[in-house]
């Protein structure tokens, strides 16, 4: 049997994979089993921050593997402590909990928010307001947080206590807050899985101000938008707000599983012994990888990400077959006249990997994609949209 036949035989059928087996790569180029090369604008869905088998990243990972690969959270290890220190220094947040994925980072944020509210406002203050069209993960609780009904249908009963506001409508947030005992409001500044839908600045600022005035926690989900993706270290920084809890994962460790939940001044001491935990969370290899990734996301790189973003925007605005362009930095959604899935398939046939988000074509290139490769890939995409 081929790899693809064995996959169908032995792997649970949750993924509608493209008929493509990737065997290796370097930076923003990857090769399939027949040696065909592709420019990768997917990066494992915003995970491979510096592309495939980047040398700086590899060195950080292999040096840590040669020391110790895992020790459990019963003991202290250096990489996770250094990483937490870096994350706090660069965000102003106060404490970090490490886990392995975006859904887990959000689970931790939700647990933290509910415990904080129970202790500070009363146990009945358990409701979390999230936004319609959001995506927060696939565990039973993060599915409940996800404001898209079609994800809920076959998995009832979900965790109770989530209500969904209209993104962009502060009145809808306030109406839900008036009707429920609310612990937290949880938002993505750009809804990635929802089709690369940015929240406008006034709405995000209003939500932050309203949450602060009502003693409601503000959780920002930076799983997809974090770690340099939008041209800021975290996307909330583009809006000048200060969340109480931030969750992140995906690009943090540049291709190894790592999630983090960051707690601000209000919430830093919410967890005590035994309140939460994770066997793999804070794994030294993942944290060493993340230290190397974070160390390279400096002002210079962020300026490049923003400049490449402007280039992408200008390139597609008004292009034939492109109805609208949304995003910032290196997260973009193209509403295309042709079905997005068809455009993505046509791009693949011509050696460019991109993906869909709802009815959009989504682009998530590596933060360091060389300009010539980016331009070449965009040319292919443009021709496939027309
Ligand atoms: N939150 C957001 C905004 C996401 O985009 C995703 C995944 O796409 C998740 C949470 C879930 O992350 P994971 O798949 O690592 O559990």
């Amino acid at each position: 049997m081929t790899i693809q036949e064995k996959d169908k035989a032995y792997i649970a059928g949750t993924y509608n994979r493209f008929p493509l087996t990737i065997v290796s790569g370097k930076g923003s180029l990857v090769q399939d089993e027949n040696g065909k090369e592709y420019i990768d604008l997917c990066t494992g869905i915003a995970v491979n921050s510096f592309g495939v088998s980047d040398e700086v990243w590899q060195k950080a990972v292999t040096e840590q593997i040669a020391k110790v690969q895992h020790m459990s959270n019963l003991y202290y290890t250096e990489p996770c402590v250094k990483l937490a220190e870096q994350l706090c220094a660069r965000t102003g947040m106060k404490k970090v909990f490490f886990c392995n994925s975006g859904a887990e980072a959000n689970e931790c944020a939700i647990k933290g928010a509910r415990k904080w509210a129970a202790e500070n406002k009363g146990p009945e203050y358990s409701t979390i307001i999230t936004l319609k069209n959001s995506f927060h993960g696939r565990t039973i609780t993060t599915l409940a947080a996800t404001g898209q009904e079609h994800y809920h249908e076959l998995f009832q009963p979900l965790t109770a206590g989530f209500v969904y506001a209209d993104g962009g409508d502060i009145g809808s947030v306030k109406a839900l807050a008036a009707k429920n005992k609310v612990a937290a409001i949880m938002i993505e500044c750009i809804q990635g899985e929802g089709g690369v839908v940015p929240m406008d600045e006034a709405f995000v600022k209003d939500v932050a101000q309203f949450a602060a005035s009502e003693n409601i926690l503000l959780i920002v989900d930076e799983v997809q938008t974090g770690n340099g993706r939008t041209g800021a270290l975290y996307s909330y920084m583009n809006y000048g707000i200060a969340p109480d809890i931030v969750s992140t994962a995906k690009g943090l460790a540049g291709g190894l599983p790592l999630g983090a939940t960051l707690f601000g001044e209000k919430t830093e001491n919410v967890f005590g012994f035994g309140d939460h935990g994770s066997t793999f969370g804070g794994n030294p290899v993942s944290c060493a990888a993340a230290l190397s990734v974070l160390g390279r996301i400096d002002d210079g790189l962020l300026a490049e990400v923003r400049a490449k973003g402007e280039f992408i925007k200008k390139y597609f605005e008004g292009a034939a077959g492109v109805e609208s362009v949304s995003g910032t930095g290196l997260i973009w959604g193209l509403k295309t006249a042709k079905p997005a899935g068809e455009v993505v398939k046509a791009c693949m046939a011509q050696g460019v990997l991109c993906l869909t988000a709802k009815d959009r074509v989504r682009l998530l290139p590596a933060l360091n994609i060389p300009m010539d490769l980016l331009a070449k890939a965009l040319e292919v995409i443009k021709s496939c949209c027309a």
Side-chain angles (χ1 to χ4, degrees):
M1 282 199 278
T2 65
I3 299 278
Q4 292 179 21
E5 285 163 350
K6 278 192 191 170
D7 183 298
K8 282 194 178 60
Y10 296 115
I11 292 191
T14 57
Y15 303 111
N16 185 15
R17 300 193 208 272
F18 293 108
L20 177 64
T21 306
I22 298 296
V23 291
S24 63
K26 194 84 205 150
S28 288
L29 290 171
V30 294
Q31 274 92 34
D32 71 11
E33 58 192 339
N34 305 313
K36 180 174 170 180
E37 197 163 66
Y38 300 81
I39 304 173
D40 181 15
L41 302 196
C42 175
T43 55
I45 319 189
V47 167
N48 298 331
S49 301
F50 292 98
V52 174
S53 57
D54 173 84
E55 273 162 27
V56 177
W57 181 87
Q58 270 190 58
K59 188 164 179 279
V61 169
T62 50
E63 279 180 5
Q64 184 56 45
I65 284 179
K67 287 184 197 159
V68 57
Q69 82 278 22
H70 176 76
M71 264 322 288
S72 122
N73 286 306
L74 294 172
Y75 307 101
Y76 295 98
T77 50
E78 195 181 24
C80 74
V81 177
K82 276 189 166 171
L83 179 60
E85 183 187 25
Q86 282 279 319
L87 286 167
C88 290
R90 295 190 60 183
T91 59
M93 302 299 276
K94 299 294 179 196
K95 282 201 166 63
V96 182
F97 180 87
F98 289 116
C99 56
N100 315 287
S101 68
E104 284 175 85
N106 284 335
E107 286 270 350
C108 174
I110 292 161
K111 277 182 76 173
R114 285 199 167 152
K115 180 159 188 258
W116 179 88
E119 289 174 347
N120 289 277
K121 298 169 61 160
E124 68 279 22
Y125 284 83
S126 59
T127 300
I128 315 264
I129 299 176
T130 66
L131 299 184
K132 290 176 189 166
N133 197 48
S134 58
F135 185 83
H136 297 296
R138 292 178 182 275
T139 62
I140 287 291
T141 297
T142 57
L143 271 185
T146 293
Q148 301 189 56
E149 248 170 51
H150 70 99
Y151 283 112
H152 297 176
E153 274 158 16
L154 299 171
F155 305 105
Q156 300 291 333
L158 301 180
T159 305
F162 290 88
V163 293
Y164 314 103
D166 295 312
D169 179 359
I170 188 66
S172 150
V173 174
K174 287 182 179 173
L176 287 174
K179 267 197 255 153
N180 297 278
K181 304 263 188 230
V182 177
I185 303 169
M186 180 165 172
I187 62 167
E188 297 158 89
C189 292
I190 300 177
Q191 295 179 329
E193 296 302 305
V196 191
V197 179
M199 292 299 118
D200 64 56
E201 193 173 343
F203 173 71
V204 173
K205 284 191 162 143
D206 283 350
V207 168
Q209 207 173 32
F210 175 68
S213 71
E214 297 293 310
N215 201 24
I216 290 170
L217 297 177
L218 176 62
I219 305 171
V220 179
D221 179 340
E222 295 276 1
V223 171
Q224 187 155 160
T225 50
N227 312 301
R229 177 66 37 202
T230 68
L233 183 59
Y234 291 102
S235 70
Y236 74 80
M237 294 172 171
N238 291 321
Y239 295 80
I241 59 162
D244 299 299
I245 303 178
V246 173
S247 58
T248 191
K250 284 192 182 282
L252 178 58
L256 285 176
L258 182 64
T261 311
L262 282 57
F263 295 93
E265 238 161 54
K266 241 175 166 172
T267 53
E268 64 173 312
N269 295 316
V270 66
F271 285 141
F273 294 142
D275 282 336
H276 203 45
S278 162
T279 296
F280 283 114
N283 170 273
V285 181
S286 294
C287 289
L291 273 167
S292 129
V293 167
L294 212 57
R296 293 163 77 183
I297 305 177
D298 57 14
D299 288 346
L301 182 86
L302 292 172
E304 274 177 38
V305 168
R306 291 194 295 274
K308 284 172 187 164
E310 282 306 304
F311 179 79
I312 294 173
K313 185 176 180 208
K314 287 206 182 94
Y315 195 84
F316 286 111
E317 268 174 353
V322 177
E323 291 170 0
S324 67
V325 185
S326 61
T328 188
L330 289 172
I331 173 167
W332 287 93
L334 310 175
K335 173 93 185 70
T336 49
K338 294 180 191 165
E342 260 179 40
V343 174
V344 169
K345 269 191 205 152
C347 290
M348 187 185 297
Q350 293 194 45
V352 172
L353 301 185
C354 46
L355 65 162
T356 59
K358 285 207 148 167
D359 61 348
R360 312 276 160 101
V361 174
R362 180 170 32 156
L363 314 179
L364 297 163
L367 302 182
N368 64 342
I369 186 169
M371 205 52 214
D372 58 333
L373 281 186
L374 179 63
K376 210 167 145 187
L378 298 190
E379 204 179 316
V380 169
I381 298 167
K382 200 182 222 177
S383 73
C384 293
C385 289

